[in-house]
Amino acid sequence: MIVTIDGPAGAGKSSAARSLAKKLGFRFLDTGAMYRSVTLEAARRKIAWEDSESLAQILEGLDLQVTDDRVLINGEDATEAIRTFDITTHTRYVADNLAIRQWMVRRQREIAAQDNFVTEGRDQATVVFPDAECKIYLTATDEVRAERRYQDLLSRGEQVTLAEVLEKQQQRDQRDRQRQFGGLCKAADSIEVSTDGLAPEEVLQKLEKIVASCRQV
Ligand code: DC
């Protein structure tokens, strides 16, 4: 079975998807981590962000392992390094790249063919797994999402202000929605859940109920 969780940045997708997968005994796939990994690799290789061909060439021979809780790039643990504010700000160049998106879609389908999965991203229900048995669209207001990201970055020791995080988030939302391929949009058959004002356990309960109802269909 595949459960997809899509939605804008900071809606709480990762933690909800991870805890849902654990509860269901499914594997978890964080597809944002895959785009982030290529972004980190581009930064390390000092590739010009506008050079889409060189960005796509990163994929040649790239050993990218995204497990339930770790990300390994060519065998090196990059779990923390892909989450910095700088990498987050530059992910759009990778996410906008059609050749990279096509590679990601293929790779994500290969991974999910191996087991039951909860996958999380922007295009999971619409592009990657249009036939998924259960599709969830997770949202929250701009302010709640920015606050969540801000607290996350502070806990990682980053020097940012809430206003900065909110501004970058609004820019990223707009790009995510306007992206020509794999842009963020709710699939017609996705069930929308707002995480505003909900504790993580309450979100998890809601998601479990949705999965149970999908299983009965
Ligand atoms: O969810 P996240 O913040 O880790 O995502 C990182 C970037 O990757 C963000 O710019 C959106 C993009 N992304 C995407 O285009 N498609 C996905 N399935 C997942 C993430």
Side-chain angles (χ1 to χ4, degrees):
M1 181 180 192
I2 302 221
V3 179
T4 60
I5 302 187
D6 292 299
K13 298 188 300 294
S14 286
S15 43
R18 185 172 273 117
S19 51
L20 179 66
K22 202 165 172 202
K23 198 79 187 230
L24 296 171
F26 286 15
R27 303 268 316 276
F28 163 60
L29 180 63
D30 176 354
T31 62
M34 298 172 74
Y35 287 94
R36 286 170 177 273
S37 296
V38 178
T39 309
L40 176 64
E41 198 57 20
R44 284 179 170 168
R45 295 188 197 181
K46 300 197 175 5
I47 292 172
W49 292 113
E50 311 287 349
D51 183 353
S52 53
E53 234 170 88
S54 299
L55 285 180
Q57 277 168 7
I58 291 176
L59 302 173
E60 288 169 20
L62 181 74
D63 177 14
L64 178 59
Q65 304 290 332
V66 181
T67 65
D68 291 30
D69 58 357
R70 311 251 39 106
V71 175
L72 300 181
I73 305 175
N74 297 325
E76 188 205 324
D77 194 328
T79 313
E80 300 299 326
I82 60 168
R83 306 251 158 233
T84 63
F85 193 53
D86 183 52
I87 293 302
T88 303
T89 311
H90 289 103
T91 48
R92 67 183 174 100
Y93 296 98
V94 166
D96 284 346
N97 188 304
L98 179 59
I100 296 179
R101 293 207 79 86
Q102 289 170 334
W103 185 92
M104 293 287 177
V105 171
R106 270 198 311 278
R107 189 70 198 279
Q108 289 160 19
R109 287 180 181 155
E110 274 166 23
I111 295 170
Q114 300 164 8
D115 212 330
N116 290 318
F117 264 90
V118 176
T119 76
E120 178 249 302
R122 306 286 189 286
D123 58 351
Q124 299 298 287
T126 50
V127 176
V128 188
F129 303 109
D131 299 326
E133 291 89 337
C134 189
K135 300 179 175 181
I136 295 165
Y137 190 82
L138 220 58
T139 59
T141 56
D142 287 5
E143 290 71 22
V144 167
R145 294 190 289 117
E147 177 68 29
R148 212 174 262 148
R149 272 280 184 211
Y150 174 61
Q151 293 300 339
D152 180 53
L153 288 164
L154 284 192
S155 72
R156 292 171 197 279
E158 296 237 12
Q159 304 275 326
V160 282
T161 64
L162 179 57
E164 253 178 313
V165 175
L166 181 60
E167 189 193 336
K168 293 270 187 220
Q169 174 183 280
Q170 283 166 340
Q171 292 168 356
R172 216 147 67 91
D173 280 356
Q174 199 183 2
R175 283 194 203 101
D176 276 353
R177 294 205 167 93
Q178 289 174 347
R179 183 165 296 123
Q180 203 180 350
F181 309 98
L184 174 67
C185 78
K186 180 184 163 298
D189 51 353
S190 281
I191 298 166
E192 185 163 336
V193 174
S194 166
T195 60
D196 276 352
L198 295 182
E201 313 81 65
E202 294 171 310
V203 175
L204 177 60
Q205 279 171 9
K206 279 196 174 214
L207 301 192
E208 277 186 87
K209 277 195 191 145
I210 293 173
V211 174
S213 69
C214 293
R215 278 177 152 165
Q216 281 164 6
V217 176

